[in-house]
Amino acid sequence: MVPVSTDHRSPSPGAATPLGALPLPGGVNFAVHAPRATDVWVCLVDVDEAGARHEQRLRLPTQTAGVHHGFVAGIGEGARYCLRAAGPWEPEIGLRFNEHKALVDPYARRIDGALGDGASLLPYGEDGGPSDIDSLADIPLSVVTGTPPAPEPGPGVPWDRTVICEVHVGSYTARHPGVPEELRGTYLGLAQPAVLEHLRRIGVTAVELLPVQACLTEPGVRSRGMRNHWGYSTGAYFAPDPRYAARPGQEVEEFTAMVSALHAAGLEVLMDVVYNHTAEESVAGPSLAWRGLDAPGYYLLENGDDLDYTGCGNTVDCASPAALRMVLDSLRLFAGEYGVDGFRFDLASVLGRGRTATGPQGPVIPFDRRAPLLSAIAADPLLASRKLIAEPWDATGEGYQVGGFPAVWAEWNDRYRDTVRSFFAGGSTVGDLASRVSGSQDLFGAQGRSPFSSINFVTAHDGFTVRDLVSYERKHNEANGERNRDGTDNNHSVNHGFEGGTTDPAILAARAAHVRALLATLLLSTGTPMLLGGDELGHTQYGNNNAYCVPLDTPAADAFAVDWDAADADLTAFVARVTTVRRATPVLRQHEFFDGRATQDGEPDLAWFAADGAEMPGDAWQSPEVRTLQAWVDGADVRAPGHDRAVPEKDALIIWHSGGDAVVVLGGPETCTHGWELIVDTSQPGGAPADRADGDPAVFGPRAEVTVSGPTVLAFQQV
């Protein structure tokens, strides 16, 4: 039995807005969306010395437009509580009210504790009816929390100068020797001077954090003795994840301190957010928050069961007023009070599923670029000013919408990833490569979008690291406990003759050159580059391409942590050099698509050449035998924000080669008579060209010959 007492405090009516727990002078106002509930209780919880929980149930006395609300006097910030709701048990329409189930407040700004016994969290019993097992001991508690301290304002980096680094807060600093031990793997660890200096050195302008809204590990993962590592299982959309707090209970303050430190260093903060599904899984799963209050309002349902467009058991109904309001309120909190500069939306096609249609196999909710939530975000003055990045797909074929989002959005471009990987593995043609490195105009050229709408990447959290991409031909995910069935098999990876780690110097040299070619391509392409944090150091996950979970008791330092002591210094120097070249070369980061227009000197803005220095012939573009591509970019008419077109920039020439030994004649129009300085050479460990014996830069004539052996990227600048 759960100890229950009836408190002498009888809540006054209070206010229906805002939702959640709002500390005010003299008490706290509670407002809970639960339109079909007959009763909603706020349960104040104390924990005794033995760890037992004792609750005081306070019925919210008033309901306004589906919101139960009341003001509780005599409590304030730090008060711990849960919710309970009573109402009809009608599973056929998604209603599974059960007052035996303690619930997390969907608007909680802080949660304390972890999930306990999985059976007690289920709303139903063995007979399918309501369970009478109380779950108070097994649910995280919500904590009344006030407004965080205002962070430092963001640097407002324009898209053409943006270089993103995707980072796991825990793994990135868990072994960093320059971070105090007690801060490693935390928000404050990421804010340490040694980390900030490294990020600035490698040319990063924005840190994209893997999910940092409070995560609750899925029951299926917990049943294998594992915990969610990435965080794509949200348990509270308004609460920073407590597992990254250096001091328990200080995650709000430490999160804002991290944001301030990154801003002061000139770095923007982007958050990976997961509004497409929740930690509750399907109706067979637990009742943690939303399902116990308003399942039909928060989820897409058919006959009371979940429609699963996410592969995670449930799908948030982003056209529902309740869910739409929740998402917008959550985004505004992090953008406004926490100072976050932008968001990357996981499985963002779910956000565009608005109106229900009927197909041959039943209800269909097609993607609509004018769906309610997408339109609301674009129309919101605060949110529309932030960087908005979509992962433009979900778990269905119809959900694949690369290039299909509205103009205010940028999108992860997996076509870029697959093409670049494949080209240097001996696959994709030069025609495919040309489309991707020049901004993917075929995908993003319509409806007022720019090349920066394409978030270019070759690796991300979901997949191999760049080191593993050239070290493993197949995934090795056995440690995940799913018999290596999880994770994609479509990796476009190679191992250079040996699967996994090796000490063979020839294999290591070939792998290193391959990595440099991949990263140089990424950083020199038109569009917005995104690095995977740790790739610049040679991080490995030992062939695991789906590192989303770790054993339950795994210390932070062993949870796929970046090993800074084993960092590849040459590779770090290489990345720093190439990002410096990108910053200093406006022709490589133009904000308009190339269209063959004649520039001030009469030449096209972009021209393509073959290995023999002649313009690429038509039949070569899709030939699998052609493994060399040259891009000549005219600097006479650079289209970049704030750039004075009357002041020409230097021309640029980039060569990509993925074959064997070859001689390449430097390409260019007939009118191009200037020489070229080699500024990036991926055949060299640090990317710096080998200087001549007299110490002068490596300079070549306009039709000079260079010898290459793939994978190789060379970048030249006009002398």
Side-chain angles (χ1 to χ4, degrees), residues 382-439:
L382 174 62
L383 301 180
S385 70
R386 298 302 194 255
K387 286 185 167 73
L388 303 174
I389 302 171
E391 182 184 37
W393 52 79
D394 55 26
T396 72
E398 186 273 335
Y400 186 80
Q401 293 292 330
V402 175
F405 276 70
V408 72
W409 293 77
E411 301 175 30
W412 272 27
N413 187 352
D414 66 328
R415 298 267 298 275
Y416 179 95
R417 175 199 64 198
D418 292 348
T419 296
V420 172
R421 287 183 176 190
S422 177
F423 178 76
F424 286 112
S428 296
T429 65
V430 293
D432 298 330
L433 184 68
S435 295
R436 301 299 148 239
V437 299
S438 61

Side-chain angles (χ1 to χ4, degrees), residues 300 316-328 331-332 345 348-356 365-380 383 388 405-406 408-409:
L300 289 174
V316 173
D317 183 357
C318 291
S320 160
L324 189 150
R325 179 182 182 181
M326 178 186 70
V327 173
L328 292 176
L331 290 170
R332 291 187 190 113
F345 293 80
S349 292
V350 168
L351 279 61
R353 294 189 183 274
R355 294 166 293 180
T356 303
I365 304 177
F367 176 83
D368 180 2
R369 65 194 312 271
R370 298 179 66 182
L373 182 54
L374 296 181
S375 297
I377 291 172
D380 186 281
L383 301 180
L388 303 174
F405 276 70
V408 72
W409 293 77

Side-chain angles (χ1 to χ4, degrees), residues 189 206 302 501 625 657 686:
E302 179 188 7
E625 306 301 320
H657 178 72

Side-chain angles (χ1 to χ4, degrees), residues 84-413:
R84 295 181 186 269
W89 181 268
E90 299 177 12
E92 66 277 6
I93 59 173
L95 300 181
R96 294 174 174 82
F97 287 103
N98 188 335
E99 61 188 275
H100 294 290
K101 304 305 164 184
L103 304 171
V104 174
D105 182 353
Y107 275 69
R109 292 193 174 197
R110 191 182 137 213
I111 65 170
D112 180 28
L115 295 177
D117 177 46
S120 80
L121 300 170
L122 299 176
Y124 55 87
E126 293 183 0
D127 62 356
S131 166
D132 60 3
I133 302 174
D134 197 277
S135 65
L136 177 62
D138 300 303
I139 195 78
L141 298 176
S142 304
V143 183
V144 176
T145 305
T147 302
E152 291 287 328
V157 180
W159 274 110
D160 71 302
R161 293 183 176 270
T162 297
V163 177
I164 299 170
C165 185
E166 188 191 39
V167 167
H168 185 283
V169 170
S171 296
Y172 200 64
T173 67
R175 294 185 185 177
H176 198 303
V179 174
E181 188 171 355
E182 68 274 14
L183 300 182
R184 293 176 186 171
T186 69
Y187 299 122
L188 296 182
L190 196 60
Q192 291 302 295
V195 180
L196 300 177
E197 180 182 354
H198 170 79
L199 292 170
R200 289 197 303 265
R201 180 195 173 198
I202 63 172
V204 168
T205 70
V207 176
E208 182 175 301
L209 307 175
L210 264 68
V212 289
Q213 292 166 324
C215 169
L216 298 176
T217 296
E218 310 91 320
V221 177
R222 293 172 66 224
S223 69
R224 302 199 308 271
M226 310 288 280
R227 63 175 169 83
N228 190 301
H229 173 61
W230 284 342
Y232 292 92
S233 182
T234 309
Y237 286 114
F238 296 79
D241 200 319
R243 61 182 170 168
Y244 303 130
R247 297 164 295 171
Q250 296 296 305
E251 57 268 22
V252 170
E253 294 80 3
E254 293 181 9
F255 184 89
T256 55
M258 175 197 67
V259 172
S260 289
L262 287 162
H263 283 175
L267 300 168
E268 293 186 311
V269 178
L270 313 179
M271 280 175 54
D272 197 333
V273 287
V274 191
Y275 296 117
N276 59 82
H277 74 281
T278 76
E280 290 187 314
E281 292 193 321
S282 71
V283 294
S287 185
L288 306 177
W290 307 273
R291 197 177 306 283
L293 296 170
D294 184 22
Y298 285 117
Y299 296 121
L300 289 174
L301 302 176
E302 179 188 7
N303 300 324
D305 292 331
D306 290 281
L307 292 172
D308 186 5
Y309 290 95
T310 66
C312 300
N314 64 62
T315 306
V316 173
D317 183 357
C318 291
S320 160
L324 189 150
R325 179 182 182 181
M326 178 186 70
V327 173
L328 292 176
D329 286 347
S330 172
L331 290 170
R332 291 187 190 113
L333 171 69
F334 281 98
E337 296 185 17
Y338 290 103
V340 171
D341 304 283
F343 303 91
R344 179 266 189 188
F345 293 80
D346 180 65
L347 300 185
S349 292
V350 168
L351 279 61
R353 294 189 183 274
R355 294 166 293 180
T356 303
T358 301
Q361 297 180 345
V364 176
I365 304 177
F367 176 83
D368 180 2
R369 65 194 312 271
R370 298 179 66 182
L373 182 54
L374 296 181
S375 297
I377 291 172
D380 186 281
L382 174 62
L383 301 180
S385 70
R386 298 302 194 255
K387 286 185 167 73
L388 303 174
I389 302 171
E391 182 184 37
W393 52 79
D394 55 26
T396 72
E398 186 273 335
Y400 186 80
Q401 293 292 330
V402 175
F405 276 70
V408 72
W409 293 77
E411 301 175 30
W412 272 27
N413 187 352

